[in-house]
Amino acid sequence: MSKTILLIGTLDTKGHEYEFVRDAVRARGFQTFVLDAGVLGEPTFTPDSPAIRTAEAGGGSLAELRERRDRGHALEIMGLGARALVGPLLAEGKFDAVFCMGGSGGTSIGATAMQALPVGLPKLIVSTMASGDVAPYVGVKDITMMYSVVDVAGLNRGSRRVFANAAGAICGEAQRRAVTARAGRREQRSGAAPARLVAHLERQDGVAPPRIQAVFEGVPRVDEAHRANRTLPPWPRWNKRNRRSRR
C-alpha cells in the first residue's frame, strides 16, 4: 500500500510550487493529501482540504480574514486551523508524513501544525528561514528544516532542484518509517523484540537531566542484548577469532 504525504501550504500564493512538489511526490509512487491555508485568493488547483475549512477549524472565517487583511491575525488563525485538522487526519490514517514550504508566513503555519504531531512522524519544511534561528519553528519536535536557497516564489532552474530534492527527502523518510514499523511488528510477533522504553525527555539546555540518564542505566547494552539473544558470540571471543583469521 502506497504511503501518503500531507502537503500544508498557501495555495493562493504558492500554488504552482506546491503543484510541482505534489507531482514530484506522485511520480515516486506516493499519494498526496493537500491542505490549503491560503487567505488572499483562490487556490491554483483544487486541494483535498480547502482553506475555508482551515479557517473555521482555527476559530475564524475565511471571508472575515480576507476583509480584515491583517497578516498576523490571518497567520495565527490558519496556523491554529491546520494544527486542529492534522490530529484527526492522522488518527484516520490519512497521511504518513507531512511537508510544508514557504517564507516566514507559510513556515509559521506549517510549523504550528507539525508541533502538534508525534515524534517519529516525518516532518519537513523547506523555508527561507532555515538559514537562521529555527528554534521557534522546531520547538521540541523532530522537524527537519531545509533551506530553500532562493525565495519560494516561482519555478526556475534553482528552485526546481531544491523542491525536487525535498520531495525525494520526505518520500524517503515516509518509506523508511514504513519499513521500520513493519520490522517492529515482526519482532513483536516473534517475541524476540527486546523490551523498549518510551520516556518523555525533558529539554534542559540540550543535556538530558540526571533522572533521565538514571532511567536509561537500566536498559541493556547492545553487547549484552546480543549475548542474551545468542545472535553473536561475546565480544572478546569474536575479536580473538577475527585476529586468528587475519594471521
Side-chain angles (χ1 to χ4, degrees):
M1 181 177 180
S2 61
K3 299 300 175 181
T4 301
I5 311 299
L6 171 64
L7 307 180
I8 302 176
T10 53
L11 303 187
D12 53 349
T13 59
K14 313 292 183 189
H16 296 299
E17 296 84 348
Y18 270 92
E19 194 170 7
F20 177 88
V21 172
R22 182 201 63 182
D23 293 344
V25 168
R26 290 179 176 178
R28 292 177 175 269
F30 290 75
Q31 299 179 8
T32 58
F33 187 98
V34 182
L35 187 154
D36 187 14
V39 172
L40 298 178
E42 298 301 320
T44 58
F45 64 94
T46 303
D48 298 283
S49 180
I52 188 171
R53 183 184 178 197
T54 308
E56 291 174 352
S61 164
L62 184 59
E64 186 270 334
L65 293 177
R66 289 176 175 175
E67 182 179 355
R68 184 170 174 175
R69 301 187 70 83
D70 184 332
R71 184 174 185 271
H73 178 66
L75 291 177
E76 179 182 3
I77 293 297
M78 299 308 270
L80 292 174
R83 184 186 183 98
L85 292 174
V86 294
L89 288 174
L90 180 63
E92 295 170 8
K94 294 292 187 181
F95 66 93
D96 305 279
V98 57
F99 173 91
C100 170
M101 64 180 174
S104 59
T107 301
S108 175
I109 294 172
T112 300
M114 291 182 189
Q115 288 179 13
L117 295 172
V119 171
L121 182 82
K123 315 168 188 70
L124 174 62
I125 300 178
V126 178
S127 173
T128 57
M129 310 302 292
S131 62
D133 181 12
V134 299
Y137 304 113
V138 174
V140 293
K141 291 300 178 72
D142 54 340
I143 299 174
T144 302
M145 300 282 294
M146 176 186 290
Y147 185 44
S148 62
V149 183
V150 298
D151 193 12
V152 184
L155 296 171
N156 53 55
R157 184 171 59 182
S159 65
R160 282 190 177 92
R161 290 181 178 179
V162 174
F163 299 160
N165 286 342
I170 194 62
C171 289
E173 289 188 44
Q175 184 62 37
R176 176 57 186 168
R177 180 172 181 263
V179 171
T180 304
R182 287 196 297 270
R185 288 193 294 269
R186 284 196 298 269
E187 288 180 345
Q188 290 177 355
R189 287 195 298 268
S190 66
R196 285 176 170 79
L197 176 64
V198 179
H200 177 70
L201 300 180
E202 300 179 18
R203 185 176 179 180
Q204 183 177 336
D205 298 329
V207 179
R211 60 182 176 276
I212 296 298
Q213 296 178 0
V215 168
F216 281 101
E217 287 178 359
V219 178
R221 293 179 54 187
V222 173
D223 56 347
E224 294 172 354
H226 278 309
R227 293 176 189 178
N229 293 332
R230 303 297 182 186
T231 56
L232 281 178
W235 295 122
R237 186 152 51 96
W238 182 81
N239 289 336
K240 185 182 296 184
R241 186 167 59 188
N242 269 359
R243 285 198 297 271
R244 288 201 193 103
S245 64
R246 289 173 185 171
R247 293 174 186 172

